[in-house]
């Protein structure tokens, strides 16, 4: 029924993998992506901490910094104060919720339980922070 392939694939190189071109595994790519999402979530968390003091946000920021450092294979990321921007707390909570959701998807696909739990907890916390505001605006 099928005719065998007689020519080499155009998608493969003639002499094999090029040693001059760096290749990453799927796990390395997911680590990089997850670290990026968590670092962005950390930045928004720091912005929220600048607008409202909370022990929960302080603890979350430390846990996020630890996870980013673990994924990047080094120390915790450098952080700056988020006081420079003027955004509403509700907008920051919505942004943080979206970032935590993205981190949860990547953490689940790479089977990183610690990061997945942290992302799910942050999603719940930001949802809870938004609910009273959403009900009051109606």
């Amino acid at each position: 029924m099928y005719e065998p392939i007689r020519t080499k694939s155009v998608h493969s190189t003639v002499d094999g993998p090029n040693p001059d071109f760096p290749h990453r595994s799927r796990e390395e790519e997911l680590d990089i992506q997850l670290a990026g999402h968590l670092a962005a979530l950390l930045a928004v968390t720091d912005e929220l901490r600048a607008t409202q003091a909370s022990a929960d946000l302080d603890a979350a920021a430390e846990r996020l910094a630890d996870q980013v450092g673990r994924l990047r294979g080094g120390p915790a990321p450098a952080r700056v104060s988020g006081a420079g921007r003027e955004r509403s707390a509700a907008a920051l909570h919505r942004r943080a919720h979206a970032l935590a959701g993205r981190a949860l998807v990547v953490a689940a696909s790479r089977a990183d339980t610690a990061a997945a739990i942290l992302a799910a907890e942050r999603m719940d916390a930001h949802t809870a922070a938004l609910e009273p505001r959403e009900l009051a605006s109606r």
Side-chain angles (χ1 to χ4, degrees):
M1 287 272 195
Y2 295 103
E3 186 175 335
I5 298 173
R6 296 181 187 178
T7 61
K8 289 199 174 225
S9 171
V10 296
H11 299 289
S12 63
T13 59
V14 176
D15 57 349
N18 185 350
D20 296 332
F21 185 74
H23 295 280
R24 292 189 201 114
S25 68
R26 180 176 185 274
E27 290 77 22
E28 290 170 325
E29 290 291 337
L30 289 174
D31 282 348
I32 292 167
Q33 190 176 24
L34 181 57
H37 289 315
L38 291 177
L41 179 58
L42 175 60
V44 174
T45 301
D46 283 341
E47 284 187 55
L48 276 167
R49 289 176 58 222
T51 61
Q52 57 192 28
S54 166
D56 179 51
L57 288 173
D58 293 341
E62 290 305 314
R63 289 177 63 200
L64 286 166
D66 291 343
Q67 288 294 323
V68 172
R70 176 183 65 85
L71 290 166
R72 290 184 177 165
R79 295 163 57 191
V80 295
S81 171
R85 296 182 184 169
E86 292 296 325
R87 291 191 203 171
S88 71
L92 289 171
H93 281 294
R94 282 192 292 274
R95 176 82 177 132
H97 184 273
L99 288 166
R102 291 181 189 134
L104 179 59
V105 169
V106 177
S109 70
R110 78 176 282 283
D112 187 334
T113 306
I117 290 171
L118 177 58
E121 288 173 357
R122 297 317 309 151
M123 284 182 73
D124 290 344
H126 294 295
T127 299
L130 282 172
E131 285 176 354
R133 288 185 179 95
E134 298 292 330
L135 292 175
S137 66
R138 290 183 184 176

